[in-house]
Each structure stands twice: as structure tokens, then as C-alpha cells.
Amino acid sequence: MTTTSVNCETNKERSLQIARGAPGGDVTADHVHRFMAGVYIGWAPLFFWAAATIRSQGILVYFLAAPIFFGALGRVLSIAQNGLPDRPAEFLSFGALELILAFVIVGAHSTALRTRRMSLAV
């Protein structure tokens, strides 16, 4: 598969990486892509559940935010060591979203805990 055909893939095609694996035939990349696709699919219900019950959650929320933050740091480290990838806008927006999302999760949880404590104190 050429670089041009990889760049022309649709979002629907990219979302099927657990079934299709990595483009280009690299066995290591294929292994990593399928593993991470499975992890993300497995995380989705957990995140929806934690978001719906955030007021009753404890430290679990911080454990959900940490991998997102560390993933963003991994992107930053990769860019610092190897430069920008082929589609820089896409990957920079992913990294920014991951950094922001981690802080939003922690902030929302902290606010929910404060609100809960205040309502219990009244």
C-alpha cells in the first residue's frame, strides 16, 4: 500500500483497525494497532459508565485519566525525538485533545466531589 493510498483512507476505514491491522504490512505496527484498537474498544463502556456515575466514583476516575495523559506525553516525546508525522495537523489535534481531556476528566471529578461534600455538609 502506498503512502498516498494510506493518506486517502476514510475515517470509517481507519476505525476498523482492530480487524484490518496497520496499513503497509509492517508486522510490529499491525500488532500494536490491533492491540490498541482492542484497548480503546474495551475502555469505551468503562468511560461512559464512569461519566454517568462520576459523583459516586472515587480514585477510579484518576486511573482513567492517567493513560490518556501518558498517551499524550508519548506523542510529545515521539514528536520531540522523530519530528512531526506525515499528517501533522491530525496528530497534533489528537495530542491536544488527549492533554485537554485528561485535565477535563480530573477537573470534572474534583468539582463533582466538592459538590457532593457540600451537599452532605448542609
Side-chain angles (χ1 to χ4, degrees):
M1 187 176 290
T2 65
T3 306
T4 306
S5 65
V6 171
N7 290 338
C8 293
E9 288 180 327
T10 64
N11 286 335
K12 182 180 177 184
E13 290 170 339
R14 279 189 230 145
S15 66
L16 298 175
Q17 285 190 357
I18 194 165
R20 291 182 41 221
D26 181 8
V27 175
T28 303
D30 181 72
H31 172 77
V32 171
H33 278 218
R34 288 178 195 252
F35 172 77
M36 290 310 300
V39 168
Y40 291 143
I41 289 169
W43 266 351
L46 182 60
F47 274 102
F48 283 116
W49 171 76
T53 61
I54 195 166
R55 288 196 169 105
S56 63
Q57 296 304 322
I59 198 165
L60 169 68
V61 174
Y62 301 114
F63 283 114
L64 292 174
I68 296 170
F69 180 74
F70 290 133
L73 290 181
R75 284 187 198 275
V76 170
L77 180 63
S78 177
I79 289 170
Q81 288 182 346
N82 303 315
L84 290 170
D86 291 337
R87 300 180 311 261
E90 182 178 344
F91 286 95
L92 289 173
S93 63
F94 291 160
L97 179 63
E98 289 162 349
L99 282 172
I100 292 167
L101 184 61
F103 287 106
V104 166
I105 290 170
V106 169
H109 184 252
S110 298
T111 302
L113 288 178
R114 274 195 305 272
T115 304
R116 190 170 117 199
R117 287 185 198 128
M118 290 172 58
S119 67
L120 292 174
V122 174

